[in-house]
Amino acid sequence: MPQFRTGRRAAAAVVTAALLVPLAACGKDDGKTDKGAGKSGGSTANTQLTVLAASSLTDVFKKAAAVYEKEHQGTKVNFSFAGSQELAAQVKQGAPADALVTADTRTMDGLKADTGTPTVIAHNRLVIVTGEGNPKKVHTLKDLTDSKLKVVLAAPEVPVGRYGKKVLDAQKLKVTPVSQEPNVRAVLSKVELGEADAGLVYRTDAASAPKKVDAVDIPDKQNAVAAYPAAPLKTSKHAAAAAAFVKWLSTPEAQKILQDAGFQKP
């Protein structure tokens, strides 16, 4: 019996040692998850990227992330969507994140000390969004001035709200909104729910709810063009992976995903 116990102890020691080898190897990767970032297949890295992105990118970025993660094994892309002004505040407050994509260059330019060099990855335009079937017969920007119409706009500090103000001011139109929302998706939601008759949103946002709302085009000469710059954040703990993701957004594959969703070429 003593010899049997000794044999069992020896075997257990061998098994324990064998298990510790791969755990030790994993431990050596701590803090080095960016090694091999951006390469597809064969990578054992486990990188969690956090991307702060404008709310108008909600649907398309989820699709893009699925493609990116499939091609870049070991990298997981998580998003935090909000109005660009909210994202800027998060960056200034030191929120842990790796990259930023805003719906205007103005917001990004105000964060030069916090970001790498930004790259415009897409453009967008405004439309008038109405309830399905356009029950209030809204056809032009001037129609939004009707006092009987419940119009909702984004707040002026929000990119889409600023673009909307620019468009209305250029046409010398005074619109009194029933509410001013913190981001474009909130504007869309008000119209979807029937809490507003019309609003100004990006073309891609209206396209995301084709069975709930209608989109009324605004002539190009009266419209505004929204630019979407993307940049890695200097505080990222995964600098190489963050830069790789931002660079990928300009590739033909990523551009096709964006353009299929209605975004325009950068």
Side-chain angles (χ1 to χ4, degrees):
M1 289 299 290
Q3 290 181 350
F4 179 66
R5 289 196 199 96
T6 301
R8 289 183 61 184
R9 288 184 187 131
V14 171
V15 172
T16 301
L19 289 172
L20 287 174
V21 170
L23 289 174
C26 291
K28 290 179 182 179
D29 284 339
D30 290 347
K32 298 181 181 180
T33 54
D34 278 349
K35 188 174 182 180
K39 297 179 181 179
S40 60
S43 173
T44 57
N46 185 15
T47 303
Q48 294 278 339
L49 282 183
T50 298
V51 178
L52 306 178
S55 58
S56 51
L57 294 164
T58 300
D59 300 307
V60 70
F61 263 16
K62 289 178 180 178
K63 293 179 180 178
V67 174
Y68 189 81
E69 291 169 359
K70 186 175 181 180
E71 295 181 356
H72 300 73
Q73 297 296 318
T75 298
K76 171 69 175 175
V77 184
N78 303 302
F79 295 105
S80 176
F81 296 105
S84 295
Q85 82 289 350
E86 293 180 42
L87 301 177
Q90 291 176 32
V91 171
K92 291 177 179 178
Q93 291 167 7
D98 303 290
L100 171 70
V101 188
T102 63
D104 66 333
T105 54
R106 176 174 167 178
T107 299
M108 185 67 78
D109 288 345
L111 297 169
K112 289 182 178 179
D114 303 289
T115 71
T117 303
T119 301
V120 174
I121 62 165
H123 286 112
N124 214 340
R125 288 181 181 273
L126 299 182
V127 296
I128 301 170
V129 66
T130 72
E132 186 181 13
N134 195 359
K136 298 296 182 176
K137 307 304 179 187
V138 178
H139 300 295
T140 67
L141 287 170
K142 187 176 181 180
D143 289 339
L144 298 179
T145 63
D146 187 343
S147 61
K148 296 179 181 179
L149 200 68
K150 291 188 292 183
V151 179
V152 63
L153 301 173
E157 62 269 19
V158 184
V160 70
R162 193 160 56 247
Y163 292 131
K165 184 178 185 304
K166 178 181 178 180
V167 165
L168 294 171
D169 287 351
Q171 299 302 310
K172 295 181 169 52
L173 299 175
K174 183 178 181 181
V175 175
T176 304
V178 294
S179 68
Q180 293 183 315
E181 302 301 320
N183 59 65
V184 69
R185 283 305 172 101
V187 174
L188 181 67
S189 178
K190 289 279 187 179
V191 178
E192 282 183 327
L193 296 172
E195 296 176 10
D197 300 316
L200 290 176
V201 302
Y202 297 119
R203 180 177 293 165
T204 53
D205 290 286
S208 72
K211 296 181 179 180
K212 297 180 180 179
V213 300
D214 279 9
V216 178
D217 285 334
I218 300 171
D220 285 350
K221 63 181 181 180
Q222 297 178 7
N223 215 327
V225 179
Y228 289 75
L233 293 174
K234 292 181 179 179
T235 54
S236 171
K237 294 182 179 180
H238 311 289
F245 178 73
V246 169
K247 184 177 180 180
W248 180 81
L249 291 173
S250 294
T251 64
E253 184 174 31
Q255 285 296 300
K256 185 179 186 305
I257 296 171
L258 285 162
Q259 289 161 34
D260 284 349
F263 289 85
Q264 299 174 332
K265 294 180 180 180

